[in-house]
Amino acid sequence: TAVPASVLALAVGLRTLNCFLVQTSFVPDEYWQSLEVAHRMFFMILNVLNYGYLTWEWANSLRGYSYPLIFASIYKALQLLAKDDVQLLVWVPRLAQAVLAAFADVKLYSLVQHLENAETAKCVFFCQLCSWFTWYSCTRTLTNTMETILTIFALSYYPIKGSKMGNSWKYLALVALAIVIRPTAVIPWMPLVFSHFLQEQRKADLILQNCIPVGLVTVGTSLIIDRVFFGEWVLVQLNFLKFNVLQNLGTFYGSHPWHWYFTQGLPVILGTHLPFFIHGCVLAPKRYHIFLTAVIWTVVVYSTLTHKEFRFIYPVLPFCVFFCGYSLEHLKAWKKSAASFLLLSNLIPALYTGLIHQRGTLDVMSHIQQLCNNSDQSQPFVFIMMPCHSTPLYSHVHCPLKMRFLQCPPDLTGNESYIDEADLFYSNPLGWLDKEFYNDTLLPSHLILFNVLEQEISSFLASRGYEKTATIFHTHVPQGRVGSHIYIYRRETEMNH
């Protein structure tokens, strides 16, 4: 049975709108592991001035170039069309992600329509479209987003009992692609692949004709792409797992209690879908237990790692949405009121997190961008004095502006007394600035900082002739080094010191 055209139109229309209604920043990886890398690759492809910045993960080959290559290709296409202006470089990758997300929504609909019926498919589709966290994340250029989209695609070909659409080759290829892009994709798929293996009659064929060829082709392609851009043979997926799982160095970025995903992670990303999810799990027939197993297994595995984030469990959200839709369909008399409740209760967090919360670090980039076409002779130099990777960099500026920010790579040498640049700076901002810019000729022309830092360095700003030129709203819930507003200071060069 084909998917109605109206479903496709609704998904594409809504995700396009979704893309433009998300103007906030979520996590640095959204730019630093995709767009920044792509921007640098794009200039490598052009053999132009090699400007761009790669974080420590790339210096240590923990990430692969396969995902950023998608965006580098988009940049290249825009450049060939003579349309590589900064607004398009920012929005076109996001639009591409949004269209993929729309296709994933439609795939989810067709899967449920095939497994159940059109009514249940509509309910699941509805729950997917009004999930606030999906709205917040699905158009972002995050590897987690791509992992989630590929997981839905793979699921639509997964040979679940009673499914006629099962196609081992297709689903395994999509899973392999997800693993190449983000090695942790292997976690939710472990129980699913294992279950498939157990119920498969021709086990040897499955391994020899599907698993091995698919694995060789995807890993081979990934190896070649990384060979081209790293300049040497490297298996990044292995390095990634070694670093994050075996050495558990992710703790450098914060640690959480073991139960965090159960008490905060899952409840937050599910939001008001939570009661429907629980109800759906109770109701759903036995053959769908494998989906629930995948959710529980993933959350348990991630719970063993000390560094935890909401986005890590985003790939199991579509499984959860399946149960929510199943529940909604069985509410019969209450269905309309339940649907209205879901829609309204998700609308507010979706719009608030998409349009208001943490938007300053992106808004500030358009101010920096204006320095590209600066007419006076002096070369602008922007120093971003914020927690590291707070803002994107060249992918949102697209000109060889001199920029600097506080660095914070983890120590990979095992030095006990290691302190990164950002921590050194925050331990004594005034002393750090005086030491770093001991000579006035070294001073940045523009400083970008959160309002919480202003008081501490006010004497430096005054004595070096800086004046505040802009105030940008960032968040209603400032925490620690992150303030509610961002200030831009500009140095008056005419002043005689």
Side-chain angles (χ1 to χ4, degrees), residues 367-368 370-372 374 376-385 401-404 437 439-449 460-461 464-470 487-494:
H367 289 262
I368 296 178
Q370 286 158 12
L371 301 175
C372 289
N374 106 318
D376 55 0
Q377 275 60 56
S378 66
Q379 163 79 4
F381 168 25
V382 179
F383 185 28
I384 301 169
M385 294 196 287
L401 194 63
K402 187 177 180 197
M403 291 195 278
R404 177 176 172 191
F437 303 115
N439 183 332
D440 275 9
T441 56
L442 302 170
L443 284 169
S445 61
H446 293 75
L447 297 176
I448 307 215
L449 52 133
F460 173 84
L461 295 170
R464 301 300 198 283
Y466 283 102
E467 279 188 18
K468 195 188 299 181
T469 58
Y487 293 155
I488 299 181
Y489 271 88
R490 177 166 166 238
R491 186 161 186 257
E492 299 304 330
T493 37
E494 298 78 61

Side-chain angles (χ1 to χ4, degrees), residues 37-38 40-46 54 58 63-66 68-69 72-73 222-232 234:
V37 183
R40 191 163 179 267
M41 288 164 79
F42 164 64
F43 283 102
M44 279 163 79
I45 294 165
L46 292 181
L54 292 181
W58 297 85
R63 302 288 174 134
Y65 280 99
S66 306
L69 186 58
S73 315
S222 155
L223 272 171
I224 292 164
I225 292 170
D226 290 332
R227 169 79 179 80
V228 171
F229 290 99
F230 278 118
E232 58 181 6
V234 54

Side-chain angles (χ1 to χ4, degrees), residues 163-319:
S163 160
K164 307 273 183 295
M165 282 164 62
N167 181 320
S168 305
W169 185 84
K170 281 185 184 169
Y171 104 84
L172 287 167
L174 287 157
V175 171
L177 189 58
I179 294 169
V180 161
I181 285 172
R182 193 169 173 85
T184 50
V186 73
I187 300 169
W189 280 100
M190 271 178 177
L192 289 154
V193 173
F194 185 61
S195 159
H196 172 208
F197 180 73
L198 288 182
Q199 61 182 355
E200 179 64 53
Q201 260 77 57
R202 305 191 304 275
K203 291 182 173 41
D205 285 359
L206 177 67
I207 291 175
L208 296 172
Q209 290 173 16
N210 293 314
C211 297
I212 293 174
V214 162
L216 288 176
V217 171
T218 39
V219 173
T221 311
S222 155
L223 272 171
I224 292 164
I225 292 170
D226 290 332
R227 169 79 179 80
V228 171
F229 290 99
F230 278 118
E232 58 181 6
W233 293 106
V234 54
L235 189 57
V236 290
Q237 290 78 16
L238 194 65
N239 294 348
F240 180 89
L241 290 169
K242 207 156 65 179
F243 175 87
N244 287 302
V245 181
L246 303 177
Q247 297 174 304
N248 206 356
L249 286 172
T251 44
F252 181 79
Y253 293 109
S255 53
H256 300 77
W258 67 267
H259 55 76
W260 188 84
Y261 284 118
F262 293 98
T263 51
Q264 284 176 53
L266 206 54
V268 168
I269 73 168
L270 275 168
T272 51
H273 283 62
L274 185 60
F276 296 90
F277 168 60
I278 295 168
H279 180 229
C281 290
V282 174
L283 276 187
K286 195 167 168 224
R287 67 182 179 137
Y288 299 131
H289 287 179
I290 184 63
F291 293 166
L292 183 57
T293 308
V295 175
I296 296 169
W297 162 258
T298 304
V299 176
V300 167
V301 170
Y302 273 121
S303 296
T304 63
L305 300 174
T306 35
H307 176 60
K308 300 176 173 66
E309 289 185 42
F310 291 114
R311 64 190 173 105
F312 292 171
I313 54 168
Y314 175 34
V316 300
L317 192 54
F319 294 92

Side-chain angles (χ1 to χ4, degrees), residues 72 219 410 423 479 485:
V219 173
D423 285 343
Q479 282 178 317
H485 288 76

Side-chain angles (χ1 to χ4, degrees), residues 356 358-365 391 472-475 486:
I356 299 165
Q358 294 183 1
R359 68 168 297 144
T361 49
L362 285 182
D363 289 345
V364 77
M365 297 314 289
T391 63
I472 299 157
F473 170 78
H474 181 59
T475 177
I486 294 170

Side-chain angles (χ1 to χ4, degrees), residues 404-426:
R404 177 176 172 191
F405 62 92
L406 297 166
Q407 312 263 341
C408 60
D411 170 53
L412 300 171
T413 58
N415 174 3
E416 291 294 307
S417 55
Y418 172 78
I419 303 177
D420 66 59
E421 185 181 50
D423 285 343
L424 277 173
F425 169 81
Y426 282 104

